[in-house]
mmCIF file of all heavy atoms in Angstrom:
data_model
loop_
_atom_site.group_PDB
_atom_site.id
_atom_site.type_symbol
_atom_site.label_atom_id
_atom_site.label_comp_id
_atom_site.label_asym_id
_atom_site.label_seq_id
_atom_site.Cartn_x
_atom_site.Cartn_y
_atom_site.Cartn_z
ATOM 1 N N GLY D 1 73.711 -98.022 -97.601
ATOM 2 C CA GLY D 1 73.556 -99.420 -97.698
ATOM 3 C C GLY D 1 72.585 -99.929 -98.812
ATOM 4 O O GLY D 1 71.604 -99.343 -99.088
ATOM 5 N N TYR D 2 72.969 -101.031 -99.454
ATOM 6 C CA TYR D 2 72.204 -101.579 -100.571
ATOM 7 C C TYR D 2 71.424 -102.829 -100.147
ATOM 8 O O TYR D 2 72.125 -103.800 -99.879
ATOM 9 C CB TYR D 2 73.137 -101.830 -101.628
ATOM 10 C CG TYR D 2 72.466 -102.360 -102.957
ATOM 11 C CD1 TYR D 2 71.297 -101.595 -103.462
ATOM 12 C CD2 TYR D 2 73.066 -103.245 -103.711
ATOM 13 C CE1 TYR D 2 70.658 -102.029 -104.589
ATOM 14 C CE2 TYR D 2 72.452 -103.642 -105.070
ATOM 15 C CZ TYR D 2 71.286 -103.070 -105.459
ATOM 16 O OH TYR D 2 70.733 -103.395 -106.605
ATOM 17 N N PHE D 3 70.065 -102.658 -99.972
ATOM 18 C CA PHE D 3 69.280 -103.799 -99.393
ATOM 19 C C PHE D 3 67.975 -103.783 -100.004
ATOM 20 O O PHE D 3 67.535 -102.879 -100.705
ATOM 21 C CB PHE D 3 69.199 -103.612 -97.912
ATOM 22 C CG PHE D 3 68.791 -102.266 -97.387
ATOM 23 C CD1 PHE D 3 67.415 -102.065 -97.150
ATOM 24 C CD2 PHE D 3 69.620 -101.257 -97.145
ATOM 25 C CE1 PHE D 3 66.951 -100.815 -96.609
ATOM 26 C CE2 PHE D 3 69.216 -100.042 -96.638
ATOM 27 C CZ PHE D 3 67.931 -99.835 -96.362
ATOM 28 N N VAL D 4 67.242 -104.932 -99.873
ATOM 29 C CA VAL D 4 65.927 -105.213 -100.430
ATOM 30 C C VAL D 4 64.952 -104.192 -99.882
ATOM 31 O O VAL D 4 65.195 -103.626 -98.728
ATOM 32 C CB VAL D 4 65.477 -106.634 -100.305
ATOM 33 C CG1 VAL D 4 66.469 -107.584 -100.934
ATOM 34 C CG2 VAL D 4 65.332 -106.997 -98.760
ATOM 35 N N ASP D 5 63.879 -104.060 -100.525
ATOM 36 C CA ASP D 5 62.867 -103.061 -100.032
ATOM 37 C C ASP D 5 61.933 -103.633 -99.005
ATOM 38 O O ASP D 5 61.299 -102.863 -98.187
ATOM 39 C CB ASP D 5 61.856 -102.619 -101.238
ATOM 40 C CG ASP D 5 62.716 -101.972 -102.401
ATOM 41 O OD1 ASP D 5 63.719 -101.296 -101.980
ATOM 42 O OD2 ASP D 5 62.300 -102.113 -103.516
ATOM 43 N N THR D 6 61.764 -104.879 -98.916
ATOM 44 C CA THR D 6 60.741 -105.373 -97.869
ATOM 45 C C THR D 6 61.553 -105.994 -96.717
ATOM 46 O O THR D 6 62.490 -106.876 -96.947
ATOM 47 C CB THR D 6 59.964 -106.603 -98.558
ATOM 48 O OG1 THR D 6 59.259 -105.976 -99.780
ATOM 49 C CG2 THR D 6 58.899 -107.047 -97.637
ATOM 50 N N PRO D 7 61.101 -105.775 -95.488
ATOM 51 C CA PRO D 7 61.747 -106.240 -94.461
ATOM 52 C C PRO D 7 61.669 -107.785 -94.165
ATOM 53 O O PRO D 7 60.483 -108.306 -94.582
ATOM 54 C CB PRO D 7 61.285 -105.603 -93.156
ATOM 55 C CG PRO D 7 59.900 -105.104 -93.670
ATOM 56 C CD PRO D 7 60.075 -104.769 -95.076
ATOM 57 N N SER D 8 62.610 -108.492 -93.791
ATOM 58 C CA SER D 8 62.508 -109.988 -93.483
ATOM 59 C C SER D 8 61.729 -110.209 -92.119
ATOM 60 O O SER D 8 61.144 -111.203 -91.923
ATOM 61 C CB SER D 8 63.869 -110.566 -93.438
ATOM 62 O OG SER D 8 64.308 -110.486 -94.752
ATOM 63 N N ALA D 9 62.013 -109.229 -91.195
ATOM 64 C CA ALA D 9 61.280 -109.304 -89.893
ATOM 65 C C ALA D 9 61.402 -107.887 -89.250
ATOM 66 O O ALA D 9 62.197 -107.068 -89.565
ATOM 67 C CB ALA D 9 61.926 -110.340 -88.996
ATOM 68 N N THR D 10 60.480 -107.708 -88.236
ATOM 69 C CA THR D 10 60.483 -106.513 -87.466
ATOM 70 C C THR D 10 60.068 -106.738 -86.016
ATOM 71 O O THR D 10 59.492 -107.878 -85.802
ATOM 72 C CB THR D 10 59.431 -105.459 -87.963
ATOM 73 O OG1 THR D 10 58.149 -106.005 -87.891
ATOM 74 C CG2 THR D 10 59.735 -105.057 -89.420
ATOM 75 N N THR D 11 60.659 -105.989 -85.136
ATOM 76 C CA THR D 11 60.288 -106.194 -83.684
ATOM 77 C C THR D 11 60.192 -104.808 -83.107
ATOM 78 O O THR D 11 60.843 -103.784 -83.466
ATOM 79 C CB THR D 11 61.217 -107.076 -83.052
ATOM 80 O OG1 THR D 11 60.667 -107.484 -81.784
ATOM 81 C CG2 THR D 11 62.600 -106.418 -82.738
ATOM 82 N N LEU D 12 59.440 -104.657 -82.045
ATOM 83 C CA LEU D 12 59.328 -103.462 -81.274
ATOM 84 C C LEU D 12 60.310 -103.469 -80.104
ATOM 85 O O LEU D 12 60.330 -104.424 -79.237
ATOM 86 C CB LEU D 12 57.946 -103.246 -80.728
ATOM 87 C CG LEU D 12 57.668 -101.877 -80.043
ATOM 88 C CD1 LEU D 12 57.688 -100.776 -81.034
ATOM 89 C CD2 LEU D 12 56.319 -101.977 -79.343
ATOM 90 N N VAL D 13 61.168 -102.461 -79.962
ATOM 91 C CA VAL D 13 62.183 -102.432 -79.009
ATOM 92 C C VAL D 13 61.891 -101.339 -78.046
ATOM 93 O O VAL D 13 61.582 -100.199 -78.462
ATOM 94 C CB VAL D 13 63.597 -102.134 -79.708
ATOM 95 C CG1 VAL D 13 64.737 -101.985 -78.640
ATOM 96 C CG2 VAL D 13 63.950 -103.390 -80.603
ATOM 97 N N ASN D 14 62.051 -101.594 -76.697
ATOM 98 C CA ASN D 14 61.805 -100.579 -75.718
ATOM 99 C C ASN D 14 63.101 -100.235 -74.943
ATOM 100 O O ASN D 14 64.017 -99.677 -75.501
ATOM 101 C CB ASN D 14 60.697 -101.023 -74.746
ATOM 102 C CG ASN D 14 59.363 -101.157 -75.533
ATOM 103 O OD1 ASN D 14 58.698 -100.184 -75.917
ATOM 104 N ND2 ASN D 14 58.903 -102.388 -75.635
ATOM 105 N N ASP D 15 63.110 -100.679 -73.637
ATOM 106 C CA ASP D 15 64.160 -100.364 -72.851
ATOM 107 C C ASP D 15 65.222 -101.591 -72.872
ATOM 108 O O ASP D 15 64.913 -102.633 -73.424
ATOM 109 C CB ASP D 15 63.742 -100.079 -71.396
ATOM 110 C CG ASP D 15 64.639 -99.218 -70.671
ATOM 111 O OD1 ASP D 15 65.820 -98.946 -71.092
ATOM 112 O OD2 ASP D 15 64.301 -98.750 -69.461
ATOM 113 N N THR D 16 66.329 -101.447 -71.949
ATOM 114 C CA THR D 16 67.316 -102.484 -71.934
ATOM 115 C C THR D 16 66.766 -103.878 -71.700
ATOM 116 O O THR D 16 66.046 -104.101 -70.815
ATOM 117 C CB THR D 16 68.301 -102.212 -70.837
ATOM 118 O OG1 THR D 16 68.705 -100.774 -70.995
ATOM 119 C CG2 THR D 16 69.471 -103.116 -70.871
ATOM 120 N N ASP D 17 67.186 -104.809 -72.672
ATOM 121 C CA ASP D 17 66.698 -106.213 -72.527
ATOM 122 C C ASP D 17 67.217 -106.870 -73.800
ATOM 123 O O ASP D 17 67.878 -106.382 -74.668
ATOM 124 C CB ASP D 17 65.165 -106.237 -72.531
ATOM 125 C CG ASP D 17 64.597 -107.531 -71.784
ATOM 126 O OD1 ASP D 17 65.458 -108.435 -71.660
ATOM 127 O OD2 ASP D 17 63.503 -107.536 -71.433
ATOM 128 N N PHE D 18 66.939 -108.245 -73.828
ATOM 129 C CA PHE D 18 67.172 -109.018 -74.941
ATOM 130 C C PHE D 18 65.873 -108.918 -75.891
ATOM 131 O O PHE D 18 64.810 -108.884 -75.480
ATOM 132 C CB PHE D 18 67.440 -110.530 -74.662
ATOM 133 C CG PHE D 18 68.672 -110.769 -74.031
ATOM 134 C CD1 PHE D 18 68.827 -110.775 -72.666
ATOM 135 C CD2 PHE D 18 69.791 -110.988 -74.740
ATOM 136 C CE1 PHE D 18 70.093 -111.117 -72.033
ATOM 137 C CE2 PHE D 18 71.016 -111.160 -74.257
ATOM 138 C CZ PHE D 18 71.228 -111.239 -72.841
ATOM 139 N N TYR D 19 66.194 -108.748 -77.222
ATOM 140 C CA TYR D 19 65.032 -108.713 -78.191
ATOM 141 C C TYR D 19 65.246 -109.668 -79.306
ATOM 142 O O TYR D 19 66.476 -109.884 -79.739
ATOM 143 C CB TYR D 19 64.944 -107.305 -78.735
ATOM 144 C CG TYR D 19 64.419 -106.269 -77.712
ATOM 145 C CD1 TYR D 19 65.308 -105.644 -76.828
ATOM 146 C CD2 TYR D 19 62.984 -106.147 -77.445
ATOM 147 C CE1 TYR D 19 64.882 -104.758 -75.842
ATOM 148 C CE2 TYR D 19 62.627 -105.194 -76.427
ATOM 149 C CZ TYR D 19 63.549 -104.528 -75.739
ATOM 150 O OH TYR D 19 63.046 -103.640 -74.703
ATOM 151 N N THR D 20 64.204 -110.397 -79.659
ATOM 152 C CA THR D 20 64.299 -111.399 -80.626
ATOM 153 C C THR D 20 63.444 -111.098 -81.836
ATOM 154 O O THR D 20 62.202 -110.795 -81.711
ATOM 155 C CB THR D 20 63.913 -112.772 -80.090
ATOM 156 O OG1 THR D 20 64.879 -113.168 -79.100
ATOM 157 C CG2 THR D 20 63.968 -113.919 -81.145
ATOM 158 N N TRP D 21 64.048 -111.071 -83.024
ATOM 159 C CA TRP D 21 63.143 -110.976 -84.275
ATOM 160 C C TRP D 21 62.726 -112.436 -84.546
ATOM 161 O O TRP D 21 63.369 -113.283 -84.819
ATOM 162 C CB TRP D 21 63.983 -110.427 -85.408
ATOM 163 C CG TRP D 21 64.259 -108.973 -85.285
ATOM 164 C CD1 TRP D 21 63.612 -108.001 -86.136
ATOM 165 C CD2 TRP D 21 65.154 -108.240 -84.364
ATOM 166 N NE1 TRP D 21 64.116 -106.806 -85.739
ATOM 167 C CE2 TRP D 21 64.999 -106.869 -84.718
ATOM 168 C CE3 TRP D 21 66.058 -108.698 -83.456
ATOM 169 C CZ2 TRP D 21 65.719 -105.947 -84.010
ATOM 170 C CZ3 TRP D 21 66.766 -107.718 -82.753
ATOM 171 C CH2 TRP D 21 66.627 -106.360 -82.993
ATOM 172 N N GLN D 22 61.306 -112.540 -84.365
ATOM 173 C CA GLN D 22 60.821 -113.841 -84.547
ATOM 174 C C GLN D 22 60.794 -114.514 -85.923
ATOM 175 O O GLN D 22 60.802 -113.611 -86.966
ATOM 176 C CB GLN D 22 59.401 -113.844 -84.077
ATOM 177 C CG GLN D 22 59.173 -113.526 -82.615
ATOM 178 C CD GLN D 22 59.708 -114.417 -81.621
ATOM 179 O OE1 GLN D 22 59.776 -115.644 -81.827
ATOM 180 N NE2 GLN D 22 60.380 -113.974 -80.523
ATOM 181 N N SER D 23 60.776 -115.717 -86.026
ATOM 182 C CA SER D 23 60.941 -116.316 -87.360
ATOM 183 C C SER D 23 59.726 -115.911 -88.266
ATOM 184 O O SER D 23 58.575 -115.728 -87.790
ATOM 185 C CB SER D 23 60.713 -117.939 -87.199
ATOM 186 O OG SER D 23 61.097 -118.618 -88.321
ATOM 187 N N SER D 24 60.134 -115.757 -89.468
ATOM 188 C CA SER D 24 59.049 -115.413 -90.564
ATOM 189 C C SER D 24 59.474 -116.100 -91.799
ATOM 190 O O SER D 24 60.553 -116.707 -91.920
ATOM 191 C CB SER D 24 59.099 -113.838 -90.811
ATOM 192 O OG SER D 24 60.355 -113.513 -91.374
ATOM 193 N N ARG D 25 58.507 -116.058 -92.706
ATOM 194 C CA ARG D 25 58.778 -116.791 -93.967
ATOM 195 C C ARG D 25 60.036 -116.191 -94.693
ATOM 196 O O ARG D 25 60.793 -116.838 -95.311
ATOM 197 C CB ARG D 25 57.610 -116.736 -94.865
ATOM 198 C CG ARG D 25 56.560 -117.794 -94.544
ATOM 199 C CD ARG D 25 55.385 -117.799 -95.566
ATOM 200 N NE ARG D 25 54.626 -116.498 -95.483
ATOM 201 C CZ ARG D 25 53.550 -116.123 -96.272
ATOM 202 N NH1 ARG D 25 53.208 -117.125 -97.180
ATOM 203 N NH2 ARG D 25 52.949 -115.051 -96.096
ATOM 204 N N ARG D 26 60.100 -114.857 -94.644
ATOM 205 C CA ARG D 26 61.310 -114.185 -95.285
ATOM 206 C C ARG D 26 62.603 -114.473 -94.564
ATOM 207 O O ARG D 26 63.632 -114.665 -95.290
ATOM 208 C CB ARG D 26 60.987 -112.668 -95.339
ATOM 209 C CG ARG D 26 59.983 -112.283 -96.330
ATOM 210 C CD ARG D 26 59.929 -110.739 -96.550
ATOM 211 N NE ARG D 26 58.959 -110.483 -97.584
ATOM 212 C CZ ARG D 26 59.290 -110.420 -98.857
ATOM 213 N NH1 ARG D 26 60.598 -110.637 -99.270
ATOM 214 N NH2 ARG D 26 58.327 -110.110 -99.813
ATOM 215 N N LEU D 27 62.562 -114.523 -93.257
ATOM 216 C CA LEU D 27 63.843 -114.826 -92.651
ATOM 217 C C LEU D 27 64.279 -116.283 -92.935
ATOM 218 O O LEU D 27 65.458 -116.485 -93.163
ATOM 219 C CB LEU D 27 63.599 -114.754 -91.057
ATOM 220 C CG LEU D 27 63.783 -113.369 -90.373
ATOM 221 C CD1 LEU D 27 63.657 -113.566 -88.826
ATOM 222 C CD2 LEU D 27 65.203 -112.862 -90.641
ATOM 223 N N VAL D 28 63.286 -117.239 -92.906
ATOM 224 C CA VAL D 28 63.668 -118.543 -93.265
ATOM 225 C C VAL D 28 64.176 -118.639 -94.638
ATOM 226 O O VAL D 28 65.203 -119.255 -95.063
ATOM 227 C CB VAL D 28 62.477 -119.475 -93.093
ATOM 228 C CG1 VAL D 28 62.667 -120.799 -93.694
ATOM 229 C CG2 VAL D 28 62.136 -119.619 -91.562
ATOM 230 N N ARG D 29 63.530 -117.941 -95.580
ATOM 231 C CA ARG D 29 63.908 -117.881 -97.021
ATOM 232 C C ARG D 29 65.331 -117.260 -97.202
ATOM 233 O O ARG D 29 66.108 -117.839 -97.945
ATOM 234 C CB ARG D 29 62.893 -117.035 -97.833
ATOM 235 C CG ARG D 29 62.991 -117.104 -99.323
ATOM 236 C CD ARG D 29 62.075 -116.267 -100.041
ATOM 237 N NE ARG D 29 60.715 -116.453 -99.478
ATOM 238 C CZ ARG D 29 59.755 -115.533 -99.671
ATOM 239 N NH1 ARG D 29 59.906 -114.409 -100.295
ATOM 240 N NH2 ARG D 29 58.515 -115.823 -99.118
ATOM 241 N N ASP D 30 65.643 -116.311 -96.379
ATOM 242 C CA ASP D 30 66.938 -115.734 -96.533
ATOM 243 C C ASP D 30 68.017 -116.822 -96.177
ATOM 244 O O ASP D 30 68.978 -116.994 -96.855
ATOM 245 C CB ASP D 30 67.117 -114.567 -95.514
ATOM 246 C CG ASP D 30 66.345 -113.295 -95.862
ATOM 247 O OD1 ASP D 30 65.807 -113.287 -97.051
ATOM 248 O OD2 ASP D 30 66.104 -112.429 -95.003
ATOM 249 N N VAL D 31 67.805 -117.437 -94.980
ATOM 250 C CA VAL D 31 68.799 -118.376 -94.471
ATOM 251 C C VAL D 31 68.938 -119.673 -95.474
ATOM 252 O O VAL D 31 70.066 -120.046 -95.751
ATOM 253 C CB VAL D 31 68.540 -118.859 -93.111
ATOM 254 C CG1 VAL D 31 69.429 -120.001 -92.677
ATOM 255 C CG2 VAL D 31 68.656 -117.672 -92.089
#
């Protein structure tokens, strides 16, 4: 995959559930 070097957001995932990558400046900038 060809993608940028810096993540737009990260989140810690554990067991079965819903997980949300919270808003960040980079996520907003992407959109």
Side-chain angles (χ1 to χ4, degrees):
Y2 187 38
F3 51 93
V4 300
D5 296 330
T6 304
S8 296
T10 59
T11 196
L12 187 67
V13 175
N14 295 291
D15 207 351
T16 306
D17 204 346
F18 287 94
Y19 290 91
T20 297
W21 283 256
Q22 297 296 324
S23 188
S24 68
R25 282 184 292 179
R26 285 185 175 274
L27 272 184
V28 171
R29 191 183 309 161
D30 291 347
V31 171

